[in-house]
């Protein structure tokens, strides 16, 4: 017995030392890394909505009727957000889109050109700001946001929505058609066409505003479902920029067809005035007012209404590349001398081998999207988001972007 006990004591001592060492290792070993999600990981900005935030027309830095190469800033892959293709065809999520503010903040662009508040299906799938799920992989943007936010630390969601609910595309088409099919001595204005005015009746404005409010509520629901409190993220509501100057500021006369054939801005002066004085303010009031209607408490606003003034389509302060003696978007001064809004194109000027899309018409181009990106970065404000009005603050480029201020 006397020879057995020491051995057993030694065994117990060794076991204790072994367990102790293991216990010490357990105390000093780092805890497993927590997966990114609400409040964990590097910050993200997510964009949702329509073509004015997805990056439509982001391929083009200005316009030229001489050569598309002059303005081709991003090339044929401009809208490839999934390697060598689009995740959703014709969403046109461009590489110049405002989501990618940088500075240690990652960006995710879930917006889609042509989207309305609610998902629509047709020739192309257009996810709205809802929870649509057909079981075959087609999801609404609220559902996409919810899925993404659950595994990423989303600090701000920027939204642009409502323009297509007011039938923006068909209004532009009507205005251009009226310009091209009526003479100067008997102008047919679009501002009094029933197909246009029906979008701006008190009843329709209220209905669209309610749909926009519901879309904002869906964003909040998506974030709550993903595990976020309302105070842990910010909704940045942006309105729409004026794409065309009032009639007096258009550099092409009303007579003849040069206003559309050369400039791609076929609006009568009176219709251009109406677009700036009535249509745009009505839409923008609905967009921002809907945030109040929705009762959201974590909203900041980005006012873009005059962000491109001085660089708008056909404005007399800028021109086509050939009109300004330029041959490339990379030349010094191109950002200040060329347009920030894409020409309105018809079937005859976009197809048959042309690199242009009709849907790019009257949308903020490469310059404008980088300008908006600058203002979104300033609105993010290093993680303490703020509201403001975005305007041009100088000439030339700063870190590759137009000089913009958020006041």
């Amino acid at each position: 017995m006397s020879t057995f006990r020491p051995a057993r004591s030694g065994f117990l001592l060794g076991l204790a030392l072994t367990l102790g060492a293991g216990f010490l290792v357990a105390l000093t070993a780092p805890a497993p890394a927590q997966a990114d999600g609400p409040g964990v990981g590097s910050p993200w900005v997510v964009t949702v909505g329509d073509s004015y935030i997805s990056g439509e027309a982001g391929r083009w830095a200005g316009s030229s009727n001489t050569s598309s190469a002059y303005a081709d800033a991003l090339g044929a892959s401009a809208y490839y957000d999934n390697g060598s293709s689009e995740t959703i065809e014709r969403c046109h999520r461009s590489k110049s889109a405002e989501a990618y503010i940088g500075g240690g903040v990652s960006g995710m662009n879930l917006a889609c050109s042509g989207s309305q508040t609610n998902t629509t299906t047709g020739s192309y799938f257009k996810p709205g700001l809802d929870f649509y799920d057909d079981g075959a992989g087609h999801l609404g943007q609220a559902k996409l946001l919810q899925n993404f936010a659950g595994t990423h630390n989303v600090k701000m969601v920027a939204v642009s929505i409502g323009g297509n609910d007011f039938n923006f595309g068909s209004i532009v088409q009507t205005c251009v058609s009226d310009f091209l099919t009526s003479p100067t001595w008997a102008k047919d204005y679009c501002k009094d066409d029933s197909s246009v005015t029906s979008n701006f009746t008190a009843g329709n404005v209220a209905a669209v505003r309610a749909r926009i409010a519901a879309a904002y509520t869906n964003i909040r629901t998506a974030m709550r479902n993903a595990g976020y409190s309302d105070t842990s993220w910010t909704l940045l509501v942006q309105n729409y920029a004026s794409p065309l100057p009032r009639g007096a500021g258009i550099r092409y006369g009303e007579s003849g067809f040069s206003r559309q054939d050369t400039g791609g801005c076929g609006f009568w002066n009176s219709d251009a005035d109406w677009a700036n004085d009535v249509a745009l303010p009505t839409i923008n009031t609905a967009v921002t007012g809907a945030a109040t209607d929705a009762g959201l408490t974590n909203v900041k606003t980005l006012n873009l209404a005059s962000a491109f003034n001085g660089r708008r389509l056909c404005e007399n302060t800028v021109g086509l590349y050939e009109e300004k003696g330029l041959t490339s978007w990379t030349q010094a001064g191109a950002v200040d001398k060329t347009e920030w809004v894409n020409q309105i194109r018809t079937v005859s000027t976009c197809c048959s081998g042309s690199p242009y899309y009709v849907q790019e018409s009257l949308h903020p181009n490469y310059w404008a999207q980088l300008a908006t990106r600058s203002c979104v970065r300033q609105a993010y404000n290093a993680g303490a988001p703020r509201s403001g009005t975005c305007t041009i603050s100088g000439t030339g480029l700063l870190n590759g972007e137009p000089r913009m201020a958020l006041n």
Side-chain angles (χ1 to χ4, degrees):
M1 295 292 292
S2 60
T3 57
F4 175 75
R5 289 174 181 167
R8 190 169 187 272
S9 298
F11 170 76
L12 291 174
L13 178 61
L15 179 62
L17 290 172
T18 301
L19 291 175
F23 181 65
L24 288 173
V25 170
L27 284 177
T28 58
Q34 187 176 347
D36 284 4
V40 179
S42 59
W44 287 77
V45 167
V46 179
T47 51
V48 295
D50 55 26
S51 55
Y52 267 66
I53 198 169
S54 73
E56 184 67 78
R59 176 177 179 175
W60 309 104
S63 299
S64 170
N65 294 332
T66 300
S67 172
S68 62
Y70 291 0
D72 196 354
L74 295 179
S77 64
Y79 304 125
Y80 293 171
D81 64 327
N82 188 25
S84 59
S85 64
E86 290 190 87
T87 302
I88 304 175
E89 189 176 4
R90 293 295 184 94
C91 274
H92 282 189
R93 297 166 174 164
S94 76
K95 295 178 174 67
S96 58
E98 65 185 65
Y100 313 114
I101 65 173
V105 181
S106 299
M108 171 55 69
N109 185 1
L110 299 178
C112 184
S113 180
S115 286
Q116 301 178 27
T117 49
N118 297 312
T119 294
T120 59
T121 58
S123 299
Y124 298 99
F125 174 70
K126 300 296 181 182
L129 296 184
D130 54 22
F131 294 92
Y132 180 90
D133 185 346
D134 65 358
H138 297 106
L139 304 178
Q141 290 184 47
K143 187 65 174 291
L144 290 171
L145 173 63
Q146 178 178 307
N147 292 346
F148 183 83
T151 56
H152 299 81
N153 185 18
V154 176
K155 302 305 293 182
M156 189 169 80
V157 179
V159 58
S160 169
I161 199 69
N164 292 320
D165 288 80
F166 279 102
N167 294 311
F168 168 80
S170 64
I171 291 172
V172 173
Q173 183 178 357
T174 299
C175 292
V176 173
S177 178
D178 286 354
F179 174 80
L180 293 175
T181 57
S182 62
T184 53
W185 60 88
K187 298 170 184 172
D188 181 10
Y189 296 122
C190 67
K191 66 179 183 179
D192 55 13
D193 286 356
S194 60
S195 63
V196 172
T197 58
S198 62
N199 293 289
F200 298 98
T201 62
N204 190 64
V205 170
V208 172
R209 178 165 165 165
R211 294 202 297 272
I212 298 172
Y216 295 158
T217 301
N218 285 343
I219 295 173
R220 179 178 62 189
T221 299
M223 294 297 285
R224 285 178 175 177
N225 289 347
Y228 291 77
S229 66
D230 293 349
T231 58
S232 65
W233 66 283
T234 299
L235 180 66
L236 183 68
V237 172
Q238 66 182 54
N239 61 10
Y240 294 94
S242 168
L244 186 74
R246 300 182 84 258
I250 297 177
R251 64 178 180 269
Y252 306 104
E254 289 186 288
S255 61
F257 297 102
S258 62
R259 182 168 285 192
Q260 176 59 31
D261 289 352
T262 301
C265 54
F267 275 59
W268 293 117
N269 283 352
S270 186
D271 284 337
D273 292 348
W274 168 83
N276 280 282
D277 300 343
V278 178
L280 184 67
T282 300
I283 293 171
N284 281 348
T285 297
V287 165
T288 54
T292 300
D293 299 345
L296 275 65
T297 58
N298 58 338
V299 172
K300 300 296 181 183
T301 57
L302 178 60
N303 181 9
L304 298 173
S306 59
F308 310 146
N309 287 12
R311 308 283 192 278
R312 290 171 291 183
L313 178 63
C314 290
E315 199 153 13
N316 55 22
T317 49
V318 287
L320 303 175
Y321 276 85
E322 51 270 27
E323 291 173 342
K324 293 299 182 179
L326 299 171
T327 58
S328 173
W329 67 278
T330 61
Q331 287 177 276
V335 65
D336 304 313
K337 298 177 182 179
T338 60
E339 298 158 328
W340 289 11
V341 176
N342 237 42
Q343 291 177 314
I344 301 169
R345 296 193 176 273
T346 62
V347 173
S348 63
T349 58
C350 80
C351 306
S352 301
S354 167
Y356 301 110
Y357 291 90
V358 170
Q359 70 183 64
E360 293 172 324
S361 298
L362 211 62
H363 281 82
N365 65 22
Y366 176 82
W367 298 130
Q369 289 181 31
L370 294 186
T372 305
R373 181 189 293 179
S374 172
C375 286
V376 171
R377 184 184 303 112
Q378 293 176 62
Y380 181 75
N381 193 33
R386 65 187 182 95
S387 300
T389 296
C390 180
T391 57
I392 297 172
S393 63
T395 58
L397 299 170
L398 177 64
N399 298 323
E401 297 172 345
R403 296 177 184 271
M404 306 297 292
L406 187 70
N407 301 309

